[in-house]
Amino acid sequence: MTAKPRARELGIPLEGIPGPYNAITDVSNVEVGYATLIEGDSVRTGVTAVHPRGKMDHDPVFGGVFSFNGNGEMTGAAWVDEGGLLEGPIGITNTHSVGIVRDTIIEWQAMNNALFQKWSCPVVAETADGWLNDMNAFHVKPEHVMFALENSNGGAIDEGNIGGGTGMICYEYKGVTGTSSRKLPEKLGGWTVGVLAQCNFGRRYQLTIAGAPVGRHLTDDAPFTNGENPFRQDDGSLIVIIATDAPLLPHQL
Amino acid sequence: MTAKPRARELGIPLEGIPGPYNAITDVSNVEVGYATLIEGDSVRTGVTAVHPRGKMDHDPVFGGVFSFNGNGEMTGAAWVDEGGLLEGPIGITNTHSVGIVRDTIIEWQAMNNALFQKWSCPVVAETADGWLNDMNAFHVKPEHVMFALENSNGGAIDEGNIGGGTGMICYEYKGVTGTSSRKLPEKLGGWTVGVLAQCNFGRRYQLTIAGAPVGRHLTDDAPFTNGENPFRQDDGSLIVIIATDAPLLPHQL
Amino acid sequence: MTAKPRARELGIPLEGIPGPYNAITDVSNVEVGYATLIEGDSVRTGVTAVHPRGKMDHDPVFGGVFSFNGNGEMTGAAWVDEGGLLEGPIGITNTHSVGIVRDTIIEWQAMNNALFQKWSCPVVAETADGWLNDMNAFHVKPEHVMFALENSNGGAIDEGNIGGGTGMICYEYKGVTGTSSRKLPEKLGGWTVGVLAQCNFGRRYQLTIAGAPVGRHLTDDAPFTNGENPFRQDDGSLIVIIATDAPLLPHQL
Amino acid sequence: MTAKPRARELGIPLEGIPGPYNAITDVSNVEVGYATLIEGDSVRTGVTAVHPRGKMDHDPVFGGVFSFNGNGEMTGAAWVDEGGLLEGPIGITNTHSVGIVRDTIIEWQAMNNALFQKWSCPVVAETADGWLNDMNAFHVKPEHVMFALENSNGGAIDEGNIGGGTGMICYEYKGVTGTSSRKLPEKLGGWTVGVLAQCNFGRRYQLTIAGAPVGRHLTDDAPFTNGENPFRQDDGSLIVIIATDAPLLPHQL
């Protein structure tokens, strides 16, 4: 799946200097796991799991939540806000499977002696893959969540139609799960920032790449641009998980 | 279960004038359903479902969320905040079963043609019943959620060790699910306000009844008061669902 | 001052259809007034006043507050959030003159019998003009605030180095106060949205115009781009006042 | 003014162990200053200034803002939320003088080389003293703010009809500015928590003292209890400044 070239390999002049894998896993010990469900015509969904310290280290990390705009389900947000701590793996999935992912993360924590308190309120976020996936059939099962949690790794990780990103649509192209990282120069601290995104939004004409408004020119094969209502895909959404080893307090995250 | 007298029947001078049932169901069409799980030594949990317009009417109602203090899981809060709408039944359960209740409410909505949009982010809240119930055994199953959703009614509703309130502890007594209502005088509009609460907090000495600090005198049989650490039960919580027919906008709720 | 051509007159292909004045005043009855202080080398500041219903109509309007990112002083925000009402004119000025503008708006309200309640918490926002203006000399006086409040008008309004925008810097050019409006097609309701902005942020290379990344090419005469620290002007800010006649509730604003 | 006995001296059994002064000044270096304006029939107002590290030390302290309920003007709240820092003295005054107190604190900071950044957004809060004081006459002047800032002290501080508390009404008695502190036992860390409150709310029947509902019995001389509308004084408010030397991060404050 990663055989396809990444944007920099195509010569697109993106800013900044990536870490060695240009992935969220460039932040030390972060691990990512996926479960991907593709079957027949109407199963295009999955689960992405992000372990902030890797799946073997259950210590919490400082955490924060920021909503740039709009809304969506993100369980566990109230406790991150109040406690400033992220106490276990993060899950991302489709809108209608948030619950099974959340409860199964708790089950995994209980099985692995990884509960930081007597209760757990895991962070699970969603985007809606209802165009490509039948969300009301609840395809995600506990075993898929366990698979994503257990089969995580650091280093090079997959991108594309995988995990929670399997059924995404973005700028009227196929949307995906993607990742990248940036390393600050040593004189600014040398810290690393890594992101993992699940993208499910946007009209074609809004697409810019490295600052160039290419979406205005790539108008072919963009089924949503033809109609009249300009708000039709404005209810899309985007989940971004940001990890860093910079020494920040919770209220700065 | 309602054979036990309620507070007013015991002559406790509570303020205000209740509606006919002194229950959240005094607000027109509100229905409440319970699933109660009591088994052996370690199953004391359940599900409470509240249909704001009754289980047959799926129109949304205006809604709002307020956190008085502290935190807890409440799925769906982001959409209520953003949209000002509550688009289906509310669930209450134990902390580790929030996910199964949430997803099953969506399933019920899909089965009953009750989805207001192509996606649903139901409101499900929790309190931790881990002292009396083995939360990590995930006793709540989809059929319990369906039972609570289907077996709801208006009018007189049960209180006590029932539904989500089955495993509660409050002021070092057994905590429960309770309900009441108040009707404003006609000259103030005659509107009704009804509440349903799931109570899981408090040290004995903090208990007041109708303004009287009775907890300071009822010190027997209060196992948590004896130790030294005054913060031991401060991590309790309380869910209150408030319904009203007063003509309020979402930002006033 | 408005003799200079506006962006559309220069042929820049901006989206949408403006109202007749392409200004916030295209929303019915909105009036804008300015007081501009330019003197010697270190006085470059002022006050902008926006009357949502014009200076003669003191009825409140529905209102909301949104912080896209970052922070800044905006008095009155707590009451707009709670009440959903904007109860009088909005002021914009420099960071260190927010107080005098706020209290003087109350004085103007008291003089004009325009207090909606026995107290007033006016909305006054700021951007820092400390590079061009000596903010610590407190040049803004009550008479300037009164002038802006009294000398407001609808229809065509001035833009540029005027009112609160007098001392702004934006994308390493001179920043200003600007305004524009858009009218929705009749089939989408025909509502008008108008904005007035006070702009004080940005590095040159971030500048795009109508989607074109022109800032990367216009690198001359941009004194802040030469140094090493990429964060040097990230503490800028931007105030946008948005008015509309679309029928929205406070929580939708 | 402090000749009157305090509550503990009257034998009221309040909980906890106060610090040496039973005042916010028990938290090391905190200083409080007042300016009190009492004149004729309609001047009953003032300014309270709290220096978190004393008036000579301008280093910021960690800070946080919490609104228990309702709203009111509190300038500077956005920056405390974002930065987690309180960068100078706090002011409290009447609703319509918040601006003059805010700008004058900046002026004092500039004069004393006490600006932590090139701009300042001081925290100034208010309660409405409009029943006893003519708020629309703007009696608070810069010299009063300077007086409160300069004439601050630690140790024993005055309570009562003083500073911002001069015109308060509380539980239908005269309201005031008050202060107290508690010291945790050594085994819990030995930290001190001090508070200073400006109280302007409440119906008589709601008053409890040390848990006893005395307001129900002290019904004489309570002019607001006689009428019909039970909401008449519900728009009161209460400002509490809490200082502590406990090692807490901003998001915990």
Side-chain angles (χ1 to χ4, degrees):
Chain A
M1 195 167 290
T2 50
K4 290 193 190 168
R6 300 181 78 187
R8 280 170 190 263
E9 295 166 19
L10 293 172
I12 295 175
L14 298 172
E15 292 180 57
I17 299 169
Y21 298 104
N22 195 13
I24 194 171
T25 47
D26 287 324
V27 178
S28 59
N29 301 321
V30 171
E31 290 182 13
V32 177
Y34 299 107
T36 304
L37 284 75
I38 299 179
E39 222 173 299
D41 280 347
S42 65
V43 185
R44 295 285 183 283
T45 194
V47 180
T48 302
V50 179
H51 295 279
R53 296 184 184 273
K55 67 180 149 303
M56 304 298 290
D57 184 343
H58 309 308
D59 275 357
V61 293
F62 279 169
V65 169
F66 181 65
S67 167
F68 204 53
N69 196 359
N71 74 91
E73 186 59 77
M74 182 178 292
T75 68
W79 174 234
V80 172
D81 261 350
E82 173 96 359
L85 298 175
L86 173 66
E87 296 181 0
I90 297 172
I92 327 182
T93 188
N94 77 68
T95 311
H96 289 185
S97 295
V98 164
I100 193 72
V101 175
R102 174 202 185 270
D103 289 359
T104 309
I105 289 178
I106 302 174
E107 193 179 348
W108 180 88
Q109 290 177 306
M111 282 168 46
N112 289 278
N113 229 348
L115 285 166
F116 185 64
Q117 313 198 52
K118 290 189 174 163
W119 49 266
S120 174
C121 285
V123 173
V124 180
E126 51 76 33
T127 55
D129 56 18
W131 285 312
L132 298 180
N133 178 57
D134 179 6
M135 295 202 300
N136 294 338
F138 302 93
H139 300 299
V140 176
K141 303 295 179 195
E143 55 266 30
H144 304 130
V145 187
M146 289 291 181
F147 183 90
L149 288 165
E150 286 296 333
N151 292 277
S152 66
N153 57 273
I157 58 171
D158 286 338
E159 295 182 301
N161 295 320
I162 193 167
T166 304
M168 300 297 100
I169 294 178
C170 196
Y171 294 117
E172 306 184 37
Y173 285 108
K174 181 68 191 67
V176 297
T177 291
T179 190
S180 72
S181 70
R182 293 294 183 274
K183 201 169 167 1
L184 284 179
E186 286 307 323
K187 70 187 161 198
L188 294 175
W191 313 110
T192 298
V193 178
V195 303
L196 182 136
Q198 180 170 313
C199 304
N200 198 44
F201 67 95
R203 298 293 306 279
R204 179 68 55 85
Y205 68 85
Q206 299 166 326
L207 174 63
T208 65
I209 295 182
V214 297
R216 302 178 181 216
H217 305 288
L218 300 170
T219 51
D220 285 352
D221 196 22
F224 296 100
T225 318
N226 304 317
E228 279 192 327
N229 182 342
F231 301 105
R232 203 157 38 178
Q233 201 175 348
D234 280 0
D235 57 345
S237 55
L238 166 65
I239 300 291
V240 184
I241 298 175
I242 305 178
T244 187
D245 54 8
L248 297 171
L249 295 179
H251 77 283
Q252 297 171 309
L253 294 171
Chain B
M1 196 168 290
T2 49
K4 290 193 191 170
R6 301 181 77 186
R8 279 168 191 263
E9 295 166 19
L10 293 171
I12 295 176
L14 298 172
E15 290 180 58
I17 298 170
Y21 298 105
N22 196 12
I24 194 172
T25 47
D26 287 324
V27 178
S28 58
N29 299 323
V30 172
E31 290 183 12
V32 177
Y34 300 107
T36 305
L37 285 75
I38 299 179
E39 222 173 298
D41 280 348
S42 65
V43 186
R44 296 285 183 283
T45 193
V47 179
T48 302
V50 179
H51 295 279
R53 294 185 185 273
K55 66 178 148 308
M56 303 299 289
D57 184 343
H58 309 309
D59 275 358
V61 292
F62 280 169
V65 169
F66 180 66
S67 167
F68 203 54
N69 195 0
N71 74 92
E73 186 59 76
M74 182 178 292
T75 67
W79 174 235
V80 172
D81 262 350
E82 174 95 359
L85 297 176
L86 172 66
E87 297 181 359
I90 298 171
I92 327 180
T93 186
N94 77 68
T95 311
H96 288 185
S97 297
V98 164
I100 193 71
V101 175
R102 176 203 183 269
D103 290 359
T104 310
I105 288 178
I106 301 174
E107 195 180 347
W108 181 87
Q109 290 178 305
M111 282 167 45
N112 288 278
N113 230 348
L115 286 165
F116 186 64
Q117 314 199 51
K118 289 188 176 164
W119 48 267
S120 175
C121 286
V123 173
V124 180
E126 50 76 33
T127 55
D129 55 19
W131 285 313
L132 298 180
N133 178 58
D134 179 5
M135 294 201 301
N136 293 339
F138 301 93
H139 299 300
V140 176
K141 304 295 178 197
E143 56 265 31
H144 304 129
V145 187
M146 290 290 181
F147 183 90
L149 287 165
E150 288 296 333
N151 292 276
S152 66
N153 58 274
I157 57 171
D158 285 339
E159 296 182 301
N161 296 319
I162 192 166
T166 304
M168 300 297 100
I169 295 179
C170 196
Y171 294 117
E172 306 183 37
Y173 285 107
K174 182 68 192 63
V176 297
T177 293
T179 189
S180 72
S181 71
R182 294 292 182 276
K183 202 169 168 0
L184 284 180
E186 286 306 323
K187 69 186 161 201
L188 295 175
W191 314 110
T192 298
V193 178
V195 304
L196 181 136
Q198 180 170 311
C199 303
N200 199 42
F201 67 94
R203 300 292 307 279
R204 178 67 57 86
Y205 68 85
Q206 299 166 325
L207 173 63
T208 63
I209 295 182
V214 296
R216 304 181 178 212
H217 305 288
L218 300 170
T219 52
D220 286 352
D221 197 23
F224 296 100
T225 316
N226 304 317
E228 278 191 330
N229 183 340
F231 301 106
R232 204 158 36 179
Q233 202 176 343
D234 279 1
D235 57 345
S237 55
L238 166 64
I239 301 291
V240 184
I241 298 174
I242 305 179
T244 187
D245 54 9
L248 297 170
L249 293 179
H251 76 283
Q252 297 172 309
L253 293 171
Chain C
M1 193 168 288
T2 50
K4 291 193 191 168
R6 301 181 77 186
R8 279 169 190 263
E9 295 166 19
L10 293 171
I12 296 175
L14 298 171
E15 290 181 58
I17 298 168
Y21 298 104
N22 196 13
I24 194 172
T25 47
D26 286 325
V27 178
S28 59
N29 300 322
V30 172
E31 290 183 13
V32 177
Y34 300 107
T36 305
L37 285 76
I38 300 180
E39 224 174 296
D41 280 348
S42 65
V43 186
R44 295 285 183 285
T45 194
V47 180
T48 302
V50 179
H51 296 280
R53 294 184 185 274
K55 64 178 151 304
M56 304 299 289
D57 183 343
H58 309 309
D59 275 358
V61 293
F62 280 169
V65 169
F66 180 66
S67 166
F68 204 53
N69 196 1
N71 75 91
E73 185 60 77
M74 182 179 291
T75 67
W79 174 233
V80 172
D81 262 349
E82 174 95 0
L85 298 176
L86 172 67
E87 297 181 358
I90 297 172
I92 327 181
T93 187
N94 77 68
T95 311
H96 288 185
S97 296
V98 164
I100 193 70
V101 175
R102 175 201 184 271
D103 290 0
T104 308
I105 288 177
I106 301 174
E107 195 179 347
W108 180 88
Q109 291 177 305
M111 281 168 47
N112 289 278
N113 229 348
L115 286 165
F116 185 64
Q117 314 199 52
K118 291 189 174 163
W119 48 267
S120 175
C121 285
V123 173
V124 181
E126 50 77 33
T127 56
D129 54 20
W131 285 312
L132 298 181
N133 178 57
D134 179 6
M135 294 201 301
N136 293 339
F138 301 94
H139 299 300
V140 176
K141 303 297 178 195
E143 56 265 31
H144 304 130
V145 187
M146 289 290 181
F147 183 90
L149 288 165
E150 288 295 334
N151 292 276
S152 66
N153 58 273
I157 58 171
D158 286 339
E159 295 183 300
N161 294 319
I162 193 167
T166 304
M168 300 297 99
I169 294 179
C170 196
Y171 293 118
E172 306 184 38
Y173 286 108
K174 182 68 192 64
V176 297
T177 292
T179 190
S180 71
S181 70
R182 293 293 182 276
K183 201 166 167 3
L184 284 180
E186 287 306 322
K187 70 186 161 201
L188 295 175
W191 313 111
T192 298
V193 178
V195 304
L196 181 136
Q198 180 169 311
C199 303
N200 198 42
F201 68 93
R203 299 294 307 280
R204 179 67 56 86
Y205 69 85
Q206 298 165 328
L207 174 63
T208 64
I209 295 183
V214 297
R216 303 181 178 214
H217 305 288
L218 300 170
T219 52
D220 286 351
D221 196 22
F224 296 100
T225 317
N226 305 317
E228 278 192 329
N229 183 340
F231 301 105
R232 206 160 32 181
Q233 202 176 344
D234 279 0
D235 56 345
S237 54
L238 167 63
I239 300 291
V240 184
I241 297 175
I242 305 178
T244 186
D245 54 8
L248 297 170
L249 294 179
H251 77 283
Q252 296 172 311
L253 294 171
Chain D
M1 196 168 291
T2 50
K4 289 193 191 168
R6 299 181 77 186
R8 279 168 192 265
E9 294 166 22
L10 293 172
I12 294 175
L14 299 171
E15 290 181 58
I17 299 170
Y21 298 105
N22 195 14
I24 194 172
T25 48
D26 287 324
V27 177
S28 58
N29 301 323
V30 172
E31 289 182 13
V32 177
Y34 300 107
T36 305
L37 284 76
I38 300 180
E39 223 173 298
D41 280 349
S42 66
V43 187
R44 295 286 182 286
T45 194
V47 180
T48 302
V50 179
H51 296 280
R53 294 183 185 274
K55 66 177 148 306
M56 304 298 290
D57 185 342
H58 309 310
D59 275 359
V61 293
F62 279 169
V65 169
F66 180 65
S67 165
F68 204 53
N69 195 0
N71 75 92
E73 185 60 77
M74 181 178 293
T75 68
W79 174 234
V80 172
D81 262 350
E82 173 95 0
L85 298 176
L86 173 67
E87 296 181 359
I90 298 171
I92 327 181
T93 187
N94 77 68
T95 310
H96 288 185
S97 296
V98 163
I100 192 72
V101 174
R102 176 203 183 270
D103 289 0
T104 309
I105 288 178
I106 300 175
E107 193 179 348
W108 180 88
Q109 290 178 306
M111 282 167 46
N112 288 278
N113 230 347
L115 285 165
F116 186 64
Q117 314 198 52
K118 289 186 177 167
W119 48 267
S120 175
C121 285
V123 174
V124 180
E126 51 77 34
T127 54
D129 54 19
W131 285 313
L132 299 181
N133 177 57
D134 178 5
M135 295 202 302
N136 293 340
F138 301 95
H139 299 300
V140 175
K141 303 295 178 196
E143 56 265 29
H144 304 129
V145 187
M146 290 289 181
F147 183 90
L149 288 164
E150 287 295 333
N151 292 276
S152 67
N153 57 273
I157 57 171
D158 286 339
E159 296 182 300
N161 295 319
I162 192 166
T166 303
M168 300 297 100
I169 295 179
C170 198
Y171 293 118
E172 306 184 37
Y173 285 108
K174 182 68 192 65
V176 297
T177 293
T179 191
S180 71
S181 71
R182 294 294 183 275
K183 201 170 169 357
L184 284 180
E186 286 308 321
K187 72 187 160 199
L188 294 175
W191 314 110
T192 298
V193 178
V195 304
L196 181 135
Q198 180 170 313
C199 303
N200 198 42
F201 67 94
R203 300 293 307 280
R204 178 69 56 85
Y205 68 85
Q206 298 166 327
L207 173 63
T208 64
I209 295 182
V214 297
R216 303 181 178 214
H217 304 289
L218 300 170
T219 51
D220 286 351
D221 198 22
F224 296 99
T225 316
N226 304 317
E228 279 191 329
N229 183 342
F231 300 106
R232 204 157 37 179
Q233 201 175 346
D234 279 1
D235 56 345
S237 55
L238 166 65
I239 300 291
V240 183
I241 298 174
I242 305 179
T244 186
D245 54 8
L248 297 171
L249 294 178
H251 76 283
Q252 297 171 309
L253 293 171

